[in-house]
Amino acid sequence: MTPQTDEGALVDDIAARIRARIMDGELPIGKPLRQAALAAEFGVSRTPVREALRQLQNGGLIEMQPHRGAVVRVPAPWEVRQAYEVRAELEALAARRAAARITGGQLAELRRHNDVLRAAAEGSGTSGAGAPDTTRANDCFHTVVCQAADNPWLSRMIDRINESFPRNVSSLALAGDERHRQLNVRQHDAVVAALTDRDEDRAQETMREHVISAGEHLTAWYERRSQTVFHG
Amino acid sequence: MTPQTDEGALVDDIAARIRARIMDGELPIGKPLRQAALAAEFGVSRTPVREALRQLQNGGLIEMQPHRGAVVRVPAPWEVRQAYEVRAELEALAARRAAARITGGQLAELRRHNDVLRAAAEGSGTSGAGAPDTTRANDCFHTVVCQAADNPWLSRMIDRINESFPRNVSSLALAGDERHRQLNVRQHDAVVAALTDRDEDRAQETMREHVISAGEHLTAWYERRSQTVFHG
DNA sequence: TAGGCTGTAAATGGATCCAATGCCGCTGAA
DNA sequence: TTCAGCGGCATTGGATCCATTTACAGCCTA
């Protein structure tokens, strides 16, 4: 049906689409996922849907209980903290490696992405919905650092962590907190400065602090709100 | 059929069994995996086998090409280095956390495991096959450190890396090199000493060096030998 | 009226069936 | 003799089918 560029992997496509639904918040955390419904929605049979769900389970994004179906996983607050501690270490490593490898073009890219965030942080306090391009700019910032680190395994591990938590939740946590958005931007600035100076230690340390700080913020948010959780 | 302790997850069981086959080297890297053969071997239909294979693919242990089957993945040498750089960072973090949390019992356990390795390193130069209990002791050593770190996410990430490379290969790389086995033991000693002193920085650093060193060794081995690769 | 029981409906998990794709060997012609 | 074309075979991927299990609603009884 879909043109299917070249991939013979229909199941991966399905998995990606379901993941996107969850990431966007279209499927809120805690919501049960019906195989039949998803199959109908995507115009395929239940078989590939099942395999896709199992992939997502493996990635930790959903939970499957035998004969009881799959639900979008609700991470416990302490899990968020733990995961972010790991992520901090990995991103810090990425920043360290990037310090020695990053190109001028990539540095410019980082500044551009951070400028988007800066504008959003200072400008509109509450820009309606979770500000999709803000989220995007944030993602891009970290992605560029990972690319500059030039270690696919590292990137992959970081991706795995990110894919384990619905993105919209992270955005929501930031959406209401102008203070923290500005802190974010300043921390990004510090990272960029360290990278510009090719200072490996500082790059590593600033990035670690940044991610830890984001993790604490997100954890606190989780502890407060159980909103965006499906109640049915 | 199988007693199936409590898990309603037959597919996970299948995946674990296939993974074990690969880890033990019973299925050498590069070998094609036939769904029908595996299904017959385990006495189930192809459906759960397929899902299990996809899980393994997701974990990076095997490669699947559309309509062309699955093969046990042959990691490129540089991949090993990259992965071990990540693993080093994570295990180092685990050691740092462990330094502040490890119990006396766990320290004793570490010494016990390392004593097994010490005996193997000094005693029989080439103890026939890959010395399964040596491998086991090594695994246990790192597992205990992870447990002491008390961060399930961290443990999980480290496991994921380990599960991406057939274990027997790592053992084989060590089997022939008495020099390196002794180095291993000394490095473990250093880690234990740092943990005993509750010295976070030293624990982190010694562990990082240890894993990096193991990674370099394994990478070099990979570059030399393409043995244990399936030729068919 | 509350609580427990049962029967029915729905959803999952595994097995089987069918179509699609790739591989390999055979045949025939240059 | 060699290479292109062709057809059968093996294998995978997706759809469908059936058994098993769980959830829920209604009913009966204390």
Side-chain angles (χ1 to χ4, degrees):
Chain A
M1 296 311 157
T2 348
Q4 290 274 107
T5 61
D6 64 325
E7 49 186 347
L10 178 121
V11 53
D12 290 331
D13 185 48
I14 303 281
R17 288 211 245 174
I18 298 177
R19 177 179 300 147
R21 292 268 200 290
I22 296 177
M23 286 295 178
D24 294 349
E26 192 171 330
L27 299 174
I29 60 182
K31 166 143 188 176
L33 302 175
R34 302 266 171 259
Q35 299 178 351
L38 292 170
E41 179 175 349
F42 295 133
V44 297
S45 106
R46 270 177 45 218
T47 310
V49 171
R50 223 163 44 178
E51 293 188 17
L53 287 180
R54 216 161 271 282
Q55 267 185 256
L56 296 183
Q57 177 204 27
N58 208 340
L61 193 59
I62 69 175
E63 255 181 1
M64 298 183 74
Q65 280 168 331
H67 289 279
R68 294 185 54 185
V71 298
V72 183
R73 198 170 128 78
V74 183
W78 62 83
E79 267 184 287
V80 178
R81 176 176 282 116
Q82 290 173 352
Y84 265 72
E85 188 168 349
V86 177
R87 182 160 105 89
E89 204 68 17
L90 294 180
E91 294 239 23
L93 174 61
R96 162 175 283 275
R97 288 180 55 94
R101 293 170 174 80
I102 196 166
T103 69
Q106 288 172 319
L107 277 171
E109 216 178 327
L110 287 183
R111 293 199 186 88
R112 253 189 14 240
H113 292 314
N114 203 27
D115 283 341
V116 174
L117 296 174
R118 194 187 323 272
E122 294 173 351
S124 54
T126 64
S127 55
D133 37 343
T134 297
T135 304
R136 178 164 197 77
N138 211 337
D139 286 352
C140 286
F141 185 92
H142 290 273
T143 300
V144 169
V145 174
C146 273
Q147 282 172 352
D150 192 35
N151 181 336
W153 261 86
L154 181 53
S155 302
R156 184 177 166 78
M157 292 306 266
I158 294 173
D159 281 344
R160 288 181 100 90
I161 297 183
N162 287 331
E163 286 170 0
S164 299
F165 299 101
R167 188 61 46 86
N168 76 306
V169 173
S170 315
S171 312
L172 279 177
L174 272 185
D177 192 337
E178 173 154 356
R179 185 72 139 246
H180 196 269
R181 275 189 314 223
Q182 292 179 349
L183 174 62
N184 244 353
V185 172
R186 278 200 307 275
Q187 289 174 330
H188 282 183
D189 280 334
V191 171
V192 172
L195 290 175
T196 304
D197 293 349
R198 309 265 167 201
D199 187 332
E200 297 187 349
D201 290 338
R202 224 172 78 229
Q204 181 170 26
E205 203 44 46
T206 50
M207 182 60 98
R208 191 205 319 270
E209 274 173 28
H210 165 50
V211 176
I212 288 284
S213 142
E216 292 300 327
H217 184 70
L218 187 56
T219 303
W221 187 90
Y222 257 97
E223 279 166 352
R224 256 180 280 119
R225 291 186 89 160
S226 306
Q227 181 205 351
T228 72
V229 177
F230 177 82
H231 301 287
Chain B
M1 298 303 164
T2 351
Q4 290 277 105
T5 61
D6 64 324
E7 49 187 345
L10 177 119
V11 54
D12 290 330
D13 185 48
I14 303 281
R17 287 211 246 174
I18 298 177
R19 177 179 300 148
R21 291 268 198 292
I22 296 175
M23 286 296 178
D24 295 348
E26 193 171 330
L27 298 174
I29 59 183
K31 168 143 187 174
L33 303 175
R34 305 262 172 255
Q35 298 178 352
L38 293 170
E41 179 175 349
F42 296 133
V44 296
S45 101
R46 270 179 45 219
T47 310
V49 171
R50 223 164 41 178
E51 293 186 16
L53 287 180
R54 215 160 271 283
Q55 267 186 256
L56 296 182
Q57 177 205 26
N58 209 338
L61 193 59
I62 68 175
E63 256 181 0
M64 297 183 73
Q65 279 167 331
H67 290 280
R68 294 182 56 185
V71 297
V72 183
R73 200 170 126 79
V74 183
W78 63 84
E79 267 185 288
V80 179
R81 176 175 282 118
Q82 290 172 351
Y84 265 71
E85 189 169 348
V86 176
R87 182 160 105 89
E89 204 68 17
L90 294 181
E91 295 239 22
L93 174 60
R96 161 175 284 274
R97 288 179 56 93
R101 293 169 174 79
I102 196 165
T103 69
Q106 287 172 321
L107 277 171
E109 217 177 328
L110 286 183
R111 293 201 186 87
R112 251 189 18 237
H113 293 313
N114 202 28
D115 283 341
V116 173
L117 296 174
R118 194 187 323 275
E122 295 173 350
S124 54
T126 65
S127 56
D133 38 344
T134 296
T135 303
R136 180 165 196 74
N138 211 337
D139 286 352
C140 286
F141 185 93
H142 290 273
T143 300
V144 169
V145 175
C146 273
Q147 282 172 353
D150 190 36
N151 181 335
W153 261 86
L154 180 53
S155 302
R156 183 177 166 77
M157 290 308 256
I158 294 174
D159 282 344
R160 287 180 100 90
I161 296 184
N162 287 331
E163 286 170 1
S164 299
F165 299 100
R167 188 62 45 87
N168 76 308
V169 173
S170 315
S171 312
L172 278 177
L174 272 185
D177 192 337
E178 174 155 356
R179 187 71 141 247
H180 196 269
R181 276 190 312 227
Q182 293 179 348
L183 174 62
N184 244 354
V185 172
R186 278 199 308 274
Q187 290 175 330
H188 282 182
D189 280 334
V191 171
V192 172
L195 290 176
T196 304
D197 294 348
R198 310 261 167 204
D199 186 332
E200 297 186 350
D201 290 337
R202 222 172 78 229
Q204 181 171 27
E205 202 45 46
T206 51
M207 181 62 98
R208 190 204 320 269
E209 275 174 27
H210 165 50
V211 176
I212 287 284
S213 143
E216 291 301 326
H217 184 69
L218 187 56
T219 303
W221 187 90
Y222 257 96
E223 278 166 352
R224 256 180 280 118
R225 290 188 89 159
S226 307
Q227 180 206 352
T228 72
V229 177
F230 177 81
H231 300 287

Coordinates of all heavy atoms in Angstrom, one line a residue, chain B residues 143-213:
Chain B
T143 N 28.7 -8.9 36.9 CA 27.3 -8.8 37.3 C 27.2 -8.3 38.7 O 26.3 -7.5 39.0 CB 26.7 -10.2 37.2 OG1 26.7 -10.7 35.8 CG2 25.2 -10.2 37.6
V144 N 28.0 -8.8 39.6 CA 28.0 -8.4 41.0 C 28.2 -6.9 41.1 O 27.5 -6.2 41.8 CB 29.0 -9.1 41.8 CG1 29.1 -8.5 43.2 CG2 28.6 -10.6 41.9
V145 N 29.1 -6.4 40.3 CA 29.4 -4.9 40.3 C 28.1 -4.2 39.9 O 27.7 -3.2 40.5 CB 30.5 -4.5 39.4 CG1 30.7 -3.0 39.4 CG2 31.8 -5.2 39.9
C146 N 27.5 -4.7 38.9 CA 26.2 -4.1 38.4 C 25.2 -4.1 39.5 O 24.5 -3.1 39.7 CB 25.7 -4.8 37.1 SG 26.5 -4.1 35.6
Q147 N 25.0 -5.2 40.1 CA 24.0 -5.3 41.2 C 24.3 -4.3 42.3 O 23.4 -3.7 42.8 CB 24.0 -6.8 41.7 CG 23.3 -7.7 40.8 CD 23.4 -9.2 41.3 OE1 24.2 -9.4 42.3 NE2 22.7 -10.1 40.7
A148 N 25.6 -4.2 42.6 CA 25.9 -3.3 43.7 C 25.6 -1.9 43.3 O 25.3 -1.0 44.1 CB 27.4 -3.5 44.0
A149 N 25.7 -1.6 42.0 CA 25.4 -0.2 41.5 C 24.0 0.1 41.7 O 23.7 1.3 41.8 CB 25.8 -0.1 40.0
D150 N 23.1 -0.9 41.7 CA 21.7 -0.6 42.1 C 21.0 0.3 41.1 O 20.4 1.3 41.6 CB 21.6 -0.1 43.5 CG 20.2 -0.1 44.0 OD1 19.4 -1.0 43.7 OD2 19.8 0.9 44.7
N151 N 21.2 0.1 39.9 CA 20.5 0.8 38.9 C 20.1 -0.1 37.7 O 20.9 -0.4 36.8 CB 21.4 2.0 38.3 CG 20.6 2.8 37.3 OD1 19.7 2.3 36.6 ND2 21.1 4.0 37.1
P152 N 18.9 -0.6 37.8 CA 18.4 -1.7 36.9 C 18.6 -1.2 35.4 O 18.9 -2.0 34.5 CB 16.9 -1.8 37.2 CG 16.8 -1.4 38.6 CD 17.8 -0.3 38.8
W153 N 18.4 0.1 35.2 CA 18.5 0.5 33.8 C 20.0 0.4 33.3 O 20.2 0.0 32.2 CB 18.1 2.0 33.7 CG 16.7 2.1 33.2 CD1 15.6 2.1 33.9 CD2 16.4 2.3 31.8 NE1 14.5 2.2 33.1 CE2 15.0 2.3 31.8 CE3 17.1 2.4 30.6 CZ2 14.3 2.5 30.6 CZ3 16.4 2.6 29.5 CH2 15.0 2.6 29.4
L154 N 20.9 0.7 34.2 CA 22.3 0.6 33.8 C 22.6 -0.9 33.6 O 23.2 -1.2 32.5 CB 23.1 1.1 35.0 CG 24.6 1.1 34.9 CD1 25.1 1.7 33.6 CD2 25.3 1.8 36.1
S155 N 22.2 -1.8 34.4 CA 22.4 -3.2 34.2 C 21.9 -3.7 32.9 O 22.5 -4.4 32.1 CB 21.8 -4.0 35.4 OG 22.3 -3.6 36.6
R156 N 20.7 -3.2 32.6 CA 20.0 -3.6 31.4 C 20.8 -3.2 30.2 O 21.0 -3.9 29.2 CB 18.6 -3.0 31.4 CG 17.8 -3.4 30.2 CD 16.4 -2.8 30.4 NE 15.6 -2.9 29.1 CZ 15.0 -4.0 28.7 NH1 15.1 -5.1 29.4 NH2 14.3 -3.9 27.6
M157 N 21.3 -2.0 30.2 CA 22.0 -1.5 29.1 C 23.3 -2.3 28.9 O 23.7 -2.6 27.7 CB 22.4 0.0 29.2 CG 21.2 1.0 29.2 SD 20.2 0.7 27.7 CE 20.7 2.1 26.7
I158 N 24.0 -2.5 29.9 CA 25.2 -3.3 29.8 C 24.9 -4.7 29.3 O 25.6 -5.2 28.4 CB 25.9 -3.4 31.2 CG1 26.4 -2.0 31.6 CG2 27.1 -4.4 31.2 CD1 27.0 -1.9 33.0
D159 N 23.8 -5.3 29.8 CA 23.4 -6.6 29.3 C 23.2 -6.6 27.8 O 23.6 -7.5 27.1 CB 22.1 -7.1 30.0 CG 22.4 -7.6 31.4 OD1 23.6 -7.9 31.7 OD2 21.5 -7.8 32.2
R160 N 22.5 -5.5 27.4 CA 22.2 -5.4 26.0 C 23.5 -5.5 25.1 O 23.5 -6.0 24.0 CB 21.4 -4.2 25.7 CG 20.0 -4.2 26.2 CD 19.3 -2.9 25.9 NE 18.5 -3.1 24.7 CZ 17.2 -3.4 24.7 NH1 16.6 -3.7 25.9 NH2 16.5 -3.5 23.6
I161 N 24.5 -4.8 25.6 CA 25.7 -4.8 24.8 C 26.3 -6.2 24.8 O 26.7 -6.7 23.8 CB 26.7 -3.8 25.4 CG1 26.2 -2.4 25.3 CG2 28.1 -3.9 24.7 CD1 27.2 -1.3 25.8
N162 N 26.4 -6.8 26.0 CA 27.0 -8.1 26.1 C 26.2 -9.1 25.2 O 26.8 -10.0 24.6 CB 27.0 -8.6 27.5 CG 28.0 -7.9 28.3 OD1 29.0 -7.5 27.8 ND2 27.7 -7.8 29.6
E163 N 24.9 -9.0 25.2 CA 24.1 -9.9 24.4 C 24.3 -9.7 22.9 O 23.7 -10.5 22.1 CB 22.6 -9.8 24.8 CG 22.3 -10.4 26.1 CD 20.9 -10.0 26.6 OE1 20.2 -9.3 25.8 OE2 20.5 -10.4 27.7
S164 N 25.0 -8.7 22.5 CA 25.1 -8.5 21.1 C 26.3 -9.2 20.5 O 26.5 -9.2 19.3 CB 25.3 -6.9 20.8 OG 24.1 -6.3 21.3
F165 N 27.1 -9.7 21.3 CA 28.3 -10.5 20.8 C 28.3 -11.9 21.4 O 28.2 -12.0 22.6 CB 29.6 -9.7 21.2 CG 29.7 -8.3 20.7 CD1 29.4 -7.3 21.5 CD2 30.0 -8.1 19.3 CE1 29.5 -6.0 21.0 CE2 30.1 -6.9 18.8 CZ 29.8 -5.8 19.6
P166 N 28.5 -12.8 20.5 CA 28.5 -14.2 21.0 C 29.6 -14.3 22.1 O 30.7 -13.9 21.9 CB 28.9 -15.0 19.8 CG 28.3 -14.2 18.6 CD 28.5 -12.8 19.1
R167 N 29.2 -14.9 23.2 CA 30.1 -15.0 24.3 C 31.3 -15.9 24.0 O 32.4 -15.6 24.4 CB 29.3 -15.6 25.5 CG 30.1 -15.5 26.8 CD 30.4 -14.1 27.2 NE 29.3 -13.2 27.0 CZ 28.4 -13.0 27.9 NH1 28.5 -13.5 29.0 NH2 27.4 -12.2 27.7
N168 N 31.1 -17.0 23.3 CA 32.2 -17.9 23.1 C 33.4 -17.3 22.4 O 34.5 -17.6 22.6 CB 31.7 -19.1 22.3 CG 31.6 -18.8 20.9 OD1 30.9 -17.8 20.5 ND2 32.2 -19.5 20.0
V169 N 33.0 -16.3 21.6 CA 34.1 -15.6 20.9 C 35.0 -14.9 21.9 O 36.2 -15.0 21.8 CB 33.5 -14.6 19.8 CG1 34.7 -13.8 19.2 CG2 32.8 -15.4 18.8
S170 N 34.4 -14.2 22.8 CA 35.1 -13.5 23.8 C 36.0 -14.4 24.6 O 37.2 -14.2 24.9 CB 34.2 -12.7 24.8 OG 33.2 -12.1 24.0
S171 N 35.4 -15.6 24.9 CA 36.2 -16.6 25.7 C 37.4 -17.0 24.8 O 38.5 -17.1 25.3 CB 35.3 -17.8 26.0 OG 34.1 -17.3 26.5
L172 N 37.1 -17.4 23.6 CA 38.2 -17.9 22.7 C 39.3 -16.9 22.7 O 40.5 -17.2 22.7 CB 37.7 -18.1 21.3 CG 37.0 -19.5 21.2 CD1 36.4 -19.6 19.8 CD2 37.9 -20.6 21.5
A173 N 39.0 -15.6 22.6 CA 40.0 -14.6 22.5 C 40.9 -14.6 23.7 O 42.1 -14.4 23.6 CB 39.4 -13.2 22.4
L174 N 40.3 -14.9 24.9 CA 41.1 -15.0 26.1 C 41.8 -16.3 26.2 O 42.9 -16.4 26.8 CB 40.2 -14.8 27.3 CG 40.0 -13.4 27.8 CD1 39.2 -13.4 29.0 CD2 41.3 -12.7 27.9
A175 N 41.2 -17.4 25.7 CA 41.7 -18.7 26.0 C 43.2 -18.9 25.7 O 43.9 -19.5 26.4 CB 40.9 -19.7 25.1
G176 N 43.6 -18.3 24.6 CA 45.0 -18.6 24.1 C 46.0 -17.6 24.7 O 47.2 -17.8 24.5
D177 N 45.6 -16.7 25.5 CA 46.5 -15.6 25.9 C 46.7 -15.5 27.4 O 46.0 -14.8 28.1 CB 46.0 -14.2 25.3 CG 47.0 -13.2 25.4 OD1 47.9 -13.3 26.2 OD2 46.9 -12.2 24.7
E178 N 47.6 -16.3 27.9 CA 47.9 -16.3 29.3 C 48.2 -14.9 29.8 O 47.8 -14.5 30.9 CB 49.0 -17.3 29.6 CG 49.3 -17.3 31.1 CD 49.9 -18.6 31.5 OE1 50.0 -19.5 30.7 OE2 50.4 -18.7 32.7
R179 N 49.0 -14.2 29.1 CA 49.5 -12.9 29.5 C 48.2 -12.0 29.8 O 48.2 -11.4 30.8 CB 50.2 -12.3 28.3 CG 50.9 -10.9 28.6 CD 52.0 -11.1 29.5 NE 53.2 -10.2 29.2 CZ 54.3 -10.6 28.7 NH1 54.5 -11.9 28.6 NH2 55.3 -9.8 28.5
H180 N 47.3 -12.0 28.9 CA 46.2 -11.2 29.0 C 45.2 -11.6 30.2 O 44.6 -10.8 30.8 CB 45.4 -11.1 27.7 CG 44.4 -9.9 27.7 ND1 43.1 -10.0 28.1 CD2 44.6 -8.6 27.3 CE1 42.6 -8.8 28.0 NE2 43.4 -8.0 27.5
R181 N 45.2 -12.9 30.4 CA 44.4 -13.4 31.5 C 44.9 -12.9 32.8 O 44.2 -12.5 33.7 CB 44.3 -14.9 31.5 CG 43.3 -15.5 30.6 CD 43.2 -17.0 30.8 NE 44.5 -17.6 30.8 CZ 44.8 -18.7 30.2 NH1 43.9 -19.3 29.4 NH2 46.0 -19.3 30.2
Q182 N 46.2 -12.9 32.9 CA 46.8 -12.4 34.1 C 46.6 -10.9 34.3 O 46.3 -10.4 35.4 CB 48.3 -12.7 34.1 CG 48.6 -14.2 34.2 CD 50.0 -14.6 34.2 OE1 50.9 -13.7 33.9 NE2 50.3 -15.8 34.5
L183 N 46.7 -10.2 33.2 CA 46.4 -8.8 33.2 C 45.0 -8.5 33.7 O 44.7 -7.7 34.6 CB 46.6 -8.1 31.8 CG 46.1 -6.7 31.7 CD1 47.0 -5.8 32.6 CD2 46.2 -6.2 30.2
N184 N 44.1 -9.3 33.2 CA 42.7 -9.3 33.6 C 42.5 -9.4 35.1 O 41.8 -8.6 35.7 CB 41.9 -10.4 32.9 CG 40.9 -9.9 32.0 OD1 40.6 -8.7 31.9 ND2 40.2 -10.9 31.3
V185 N 43.2 -10.4 35.6 CA 43.0 -10.6 37.1 C 43.6 -9.4 37.8 O 43.0 -9.0 38.8 CB 43.8 -11.9 37.4 CG1 43.9 -12.1 39.0 CG2 43.1 -13.1 36.8
R186 N 44.7 -8.9 37.4 CA 45.3 -7.8 38.1 C 44.3 -6.6 38.0 O 44.2 -5.8 39.0 CB 46.6 -7.4 37.5 CG 47.8 -8.2 38.0 CD 49.1 -7.5 37.7 NE 49.3 -7.1 36.3 CZ 49.8 -7.9 35.3 NH1 50.1 -9.1 35.6 NH2 49.9 -7.5 34.1
Q187 N 43.7 -6.4 36.9 CA 42.8 -5.3 36.8 C 41.6 -5.5 37.7 O 41.1 -4.5 38.3 CB 42.3 -5.1 35.3 CG 43.5 -4.6 34.4 CD 43.1 -4.6 33.0 OE1 42.3 -5.4 32.5 NE2 43.6 -3.6 32.2
H188 N 41.1 -6.7 37.7 CA 40.0 -7.0 38.7 C 40.4 -6.7 40.1 O 39.7 -6.1 40.9 CB 39.6 -8.4 38.5 CG 38.7 -8.7 37.3 ND1 38.2 -10.0 37.1 CD2 38.3 -7.9 36.3 CE1 37.5 -9.9 36.0 NE2 37.6 -8.7 35.5
D189 N 41.7 -7.1 40.4 CA 42.2 -6.8 41.7 C 42.1 -5.3 42.0 O 41.7 -4.8 43.1 CB 43.6 -7.3 41.9 CG 43.7 -8.8 42.1 OD1 42.7 -9.3 42.7 OD2 44.7 -9.4 41.8
A190 N 42.5 -4.5 41.0 CA 42.6 -3.1 41.2 C 41.1 -2.5 41.5 O 40.9 -1.7 42.3 CB 43.2 -2.4 40.0
V191 N 40.2 -3.1 40.7 CA 38.8 -2.6 40.9 C 38.3 -3.0 42.3 O 37.7 -2.2 43.0 CB 37.9 -3.3 39.8 CG1 36.4 -3.0 40.2 CG2 38.2 -2.8 38.5
V192 N 38.6 -4.2 42.7 CA 38.2 -4.6 44.0 C 38.8 -3.8 45.1 O 38.1 -3.3 46.1 CB 38.5 -6.1 44.3 CG1 38.3 -6.5 45.7 CG2 37.7 -7.0 43.3
A193 N 40.1 -3.5 44.9 CA 40.7 -2.6 45.9 C 40.1 -1.2 46.0 O 39.8 -0.7 47.1 CB 42.2 -2.5 45.5
A194 N 39.8 -0.7 44.8 CA 39.2 0.6 44.8 C 37.8 0.6 45.5 O 37.4 1.5 46.3 CB 39.0 1.1 43.4
L195 N 37.0 -0.5 45.2 CA 35.7 -0.6 45.8 C 35.8 -0.8 47.3 O 35.0 -0.2 48.1 CB 35.0 -1.8 45.2 CG 34.5 -1.7 43.7 CD1 33.9 -3.0 43.2 CD2 33.5 -0.5 43.6
T196 N 36.8 -1.6 47.7 CA 37.0 -1.8 49.2 C 37.3 -0.4 49.9 O 36.8 -0.2 51.0 CB 38.2 -2.7 49.4 OG1 37.9 -3.9 48.7 CG2 38.4 -3.0 50.9
D197 N 38.1 0.4 49.2 CA 38.4 1.7 49.8 C 37.3 2.7 49.6 O 37.4 3.9 50.0 CB 39.7 2.3 49.1 CG 40.9 1.5 49.4 OD1 40.8 0.6 50.3 OD2 41.9 1.7 48.7
R198 N 36.2 2.3 48.9 CA 35.1 3.2 48.6 C 35.6 4.4 47.9 O 35.0 5.5 48.1 CB 34.4 3.7 49.9 CG 34.1 2.5 50.9 CD 32.6 2.2 50.8 NE 32.4 0.9 51.5 CZ 31.4 0.1 51.1 NH1 30.5 0.5 50.2 NH2 31.2 -1.0 51.8
D199 N 36.5 4.2 47.0 CA 37.1 5.3 46.2 C 36.4 5.4 44.9 O 36.7 4.6 44.0 CB 38.6 5.1 46.1 CG 39.2 6.3 45.4 OD1 38.6 7.0 44.6 OD2 40.4 6.5 45.6
E200 N 35.4 6.3 44.8 CA 34.6 6.3 43.6 C 35.4 6.6 42.3 O 35.2 5.9 41.3 CB 33.5 7.4 43.7 CG 32.5 7.1 44.9 CD 31.4 8.1 44.9 OE1 31.5 9.1 44.1 OE2 30.4 7.9 45.6
D201 N 36.2 7.6 42.4 CA 37.0 7.9 41.2 C 37.9 6.8 40.7 O 37.9 6.5 39.6 CB 37.9 9.2 41.5 CG 37.0 10.4 41.7 OD1 35.9 10.4 41.1 OD2 37.5 11.4 42.3
R202 N 38.5 6.2 41.7 CA 39.5 5.1 41.3 C 38.7 3.9 40.8 O 39.1 3.3 39.8 CB 40.3 4.7 42.5 CG 41.8 4.5 42.1 CD 42.7 4.3 43.3 NE 42.6 3.0 43.9 CZ 42.4 2.7 45.2 NH1 42.2 3.7 46.0 NH2 42.3 1.5 45.6
A203 N 37.6 3.6 41.4 CA 36.7 2.5 41.0 C 36.3 2.7 39.5 O 36.5 1.8 38.7 CB 35.5 2.3 41.9
Q204 N 35.8 3.9 39.3 CA 35.4 4.2 37.9 C 36.6 4.1 36.9 O 36.4 3.5 35.9 CB 34.9 5.7 37.9 CG 34.3 6.1 36.5 CD 33.6 7.4 36.6 OE1 33.9 8.2 37.5 NE2 32.7 7.6 35.7
E205 N 37.7 4.7 37.3 CA 38.8 4.7 36.4 C 39.4 3.3 36.1 O 39.7 2.9 35.0 CB 39.9 5.6 36.9 CG 40.8 6.2 35.8 CD 40.0 6.6 34.6 OE1 39.0 7.3 34.7 OE2 40.4 6.2 33.5
T206 N 39.6 2.5 37.2 CA 40.1 1.2 37.0 C 39.2 0.3 36.2 O 39.7 -0.4 35.3 CB 40.4 0.5 38.3 OG1 39.2 0.6 39.1 CG2 41.5 1.2 39.1
M207 N 37.9 0.5 36.4 CA 37.0 -0.4 35.6 C 37.0 0.1 34.2 O 37.0 -0.8 33.3 CB 35.6 -0.2 36.2 CG 34.5 -1.1 35.5 SD 34.9 -2.8 35.6 CE 33.8 -3.3 36.9
R208 N 37.0 1.3 33.9 CA 37.1 1.8 32.6 C 38.3 1.3 31.8 O 38.2 0.7 30.7 CB 37.1 3.3 32.5 CG 36.8 3.9 31.1 CD 37.4 5.3 30.9 NE 37.1 6.1 32.0 CZ 36.1 6.9 32.2 NH1 35.2 6.9 31.3 NH2 36.0 7.6 33.3
E209 N 39.4 1.4 32.5 CA 40.6 0.9 31.8 C 40.5 -0.6 31.6 O 40.9 -1.1 30.5 CB 41.8 1.2 32.8 CG 42.4 2.5 32.6 CD 43.5 2.8 33.6 OE1 44.1 1.8 34.0 OE2 43.7 4.0 33.9
H210 N 40.0 -1.3 32.5 CA 39.9 -2.8 32.4 C 39.0 -3.1 31.2 O 39.4 -3.9 30.3 CB 39.2 -3.4 33.6 CG 38.7 -4.7 33.5 ND1 39.5 -5.8 32.9 CD2 37.5 -5.3 33.7 CE1 38.8 -6.9 32.9 NE2 37.6 -6.6 33.4
V211 N 37.9 -2.5 31.0 CA 37.0 -2.8 29.9 C 37.6 -2.4 28.6 O 37.5 -3.1 27.6 CB 35.6 -2.2 30.1 CG1 34.7 -2.5 28.9 CG2 35.0 -2.8 31.4
I212 N 38.2 -1.2 28.6 CA 38.8 -0.7 27.4 C 39.9 -1.7 26.9 O 40.0 -2.1 25.8 CB 39.4 0.7 27.6 CG1 38.3 1.7 27.7 CG2 40.4 1.0 26.5 CD1 37.7 2.1 26.4
S213 N 40.7 -2.1 27.9 CA 41.8 -3.1 27.6 C 41.2 -4.4 27.0 O 41.7 -4.9 26.0 CB 42.6 -3.3 28.9 OG 43.0 -4.6 28.9

